[in-house]
Amino acid sequence: MKCLIADYMHNDIELLLSDAGFEADYRPDISREEIKHLIARYEGLIIRSKTKVDAELLRQAGRLRFVARAGAGIDNLDVDALNQRGIKIINAPEGNRNAVGEHCVAMLLALLNNVAKADKEVRRGVWDREGNRGYELQGKTVGLLGYGHMGQAFAQKLGSFACKVLAYDKYKRDYTDGHAQEASMEEIYESADIFSIHVPLTAETRSMVGGAYMKRFKKNVFLINTARGEILPLKDICEAIASGKILGAALDVLENEKLNSLTVEQQKYFEFLVNSDKTILTPHVAGWSFESYEKINRVLVDKIINEFNGIE
């Protein structure tokens, strides 16, 4: 089977595929137009984020048997178009779940303890102890929206902090474990001190956590989003911070991450987040560790081997 690797991967990807009997064509700089022109040659396509796999791209993909996404989210894949053609979708949330869990903990502790704000002040010669008094995580209730690989990894990391973890997942049942307790959203609205988003971007979740959603929390909360920015619109984040409903926001993702193409309105809200001392912003790197970069390759190749045992 011939595989086109259409994005940058850890440099062992070719060797892993070759050892498994696949013919790998590593073309990380390939353009979308080139993929469309060449896709008919391949049984496999391996991508990250830059390529949208849709019906147009698949028009000439008569031999294609799988699309592998090096990461967790598959929102850049037209699932219906792939399913209609019988093309298998493979992703690798197991490869970066630990990185996401650790990044969530790092952002949360930095947020609760004013780490970013205090660092900037001290560098300017401001020594303000009272203004940077923090909160302890112990005894707090953390609400998780979604309890898949990423939500579970975060819950596991929270285990040593003596906090209560409630998880709501619309598509699971009986998932209480040693790290989190299954809960309804009503229970999370009632008791959460911290709210963390761990659902994929779908038609259902796009703009789901908006202003009205946030107002349902009984307490003012700290917010973490390492999932997708489109789930929580910029406008609603800013308004909730301004009103005090969000005490602090740790955001690894934004509604529009192409900062050079923000609309006038998005630019206004982005500047609000940048200038707020109640935000921590990172550039969509929660799952992007040196270790996960390599792990994802191994997970993907293992899944490809398991799916296509009889290699042609």
Side-chain angles (χ1 to χ4, degrees):
M1 292 177 73
K2 292 183 68 175
C3 300
L4 173 62
I5 305 165
D7 211 332
Y8 285 98
M9 310 280 172
H10 187 273
N11 57 19
D12 67 358
I13 186 71
E14 290 179 279
L15 179 61
L16 290 171
L17 286 167
S18 177
D19 286 349
F22 293 83
E23 182 180 338
D25 189 359
Y26 187 49
R27 300 280 302 278
D29 291 321
I30 194 170
S31 69
R32 178 181 172 86
E33 288 304 312
E34 289 174 309
I35 295 173
K36 286 163 60 178
H37 180 69
L38 298 173
I39 194 67
R41 304 178 185 178
Y42 298 96
E43 285 80 21
L45 174 64
I46 302 177
I47 61 167
R48 281 195 183 277
S49 301
K50 76 174 184 181
T51 303
K52 173 74 173 175
V53 181
D54 53 17
E56 181 192 26
L57 189 77
L58 296 171
R59 196 164 290 141
Q60 303 300 322
R63 296 172 60 183
L64 199 63
R65 297 176 64 182
F66 71 86
V67 173
R69 162 78 167 89
I74 56 171
D75 42 283
N76 58 328
L77 307 184
D78 186 332
V79 174
D80 290 339
L82 289 163
N83 288 340
Q84 286 170 11
R85 290 164 173 78
I87 298 170
K88 179 72 177 178
I89 297 171
I90 299 171
N91 65 338
E94 302 90 342
N96 63 354
R97 55 172 287 163
N98 184 71
V100 171
E102 290 190 6
H103 195 86
C104 285
V105 171
M107 294 185 86
L108 177 56
L109 292 178
L111 196 62
L112 292 177
N113 292 283
N114 295 306
V115 171
K117 173 178 175 288
D119 176 76
K120 291 176 185 176
E121 290 177 354
V122 173
R123 290 173 189 272
R124 297 198 309 265
V126 177
W127 194 265
D128 181 9
R129 295 184 67 208
E130 182 57 33
N132 288 296
R133 188 200 295 256
Y135 294 91
E136 295 180 15
L137 182 50
Q138 181 175 342
K140 300 291 189 297
T141 297
V142 181
L144 306 180
L145 176 61
Y147 202 58
H149 287 282
M150 308 307 165
Q152 291 171 31
F154 185 31
Q156 184 178 26
K157 301 292 184 290
L158 291 171
S160 62
F161 290 96
C163 56
K164 183 177 183 179
V165 182
L166 301 178
Y168 170 72
D169 195 308
K170 181 178 179 179
Y171 298 99
K172 293 190 171 201
R173 293 291 181 273
D174 302 320
Y175 51 87
T176 294
D177 56 21
H179 309 297
Q181 176 184 324
E182 181 177 353
S184 67
M185 271 310 302
E186 292 303 323
E187 291 173 292
I188 291 177
Y189 289 140
E190 180 68 21
S191 59
D193 301 290
I194 297 153
F195 182 58
S196 188
I197 300 170
H198 299 279
V199 291
L201 177 63
T202 64
E204 180 183 19
T205 63
R206 185 179 294 273
S207 299
M208 182 175 76
V209 185
Y213 189 104
M214 292 305 303
K215 288 177 182 176
R216 298 183 68 182
F217 285 86
K218 182 177 179 180
K219 303 177 186 177
N220 298 332
V221 296
F222 290 93
L223 173 77
I224 306 169
N225 189 8
T226 55
R228 288 293 186 269
E230 296 92 333
I231 295 168
L232 205 174
L234 283 170
K235 175 178 182 290
D236 295 304
I237 302 171
C238 295
E239 290 180 352
I241 292 173
S243 72
K245 175 51 66 177
I246 293 179
L247 297 172
L251 306 172
D252 182 55
V253 290
L254 295 175
E255 184 180 14
N256 183 355
E257 295 176 1
K258 297 178 180 178
L259 300 184
N260 292 327
S261 65
L262 297 176
T263 66
V264 173
E265 183 180 44
Q266 287 173 340
Q267 184 66 41
K268 177 179 71 172
Y269 292 123
F270 176 67
E271 288 176 4
F272 176 93
L273 295 177
V274 167
N275 293 316
S276 173
D277 61 8
K278 296 181 180 179
T279 59
I280 293 177
L281 308 172
T282 55
H284 204 149
V285 293
W288 190 246
S289 68
F290 289 100
E291 292 82 2
S292 71
Y293 193 49
E294 185 173 357
K295 288 179 192 175
I296 285 171
N297 279 2
R298 295 199 299 267
V299 170
L300 276 184
V301 174
D302 285 347
K303 286 187 173 182
I304 291 168
I305 293 169
N306 290 338
E307 185 66 31
F308 300 97
N309 236 346
I311 301 172
E312 299 172 0

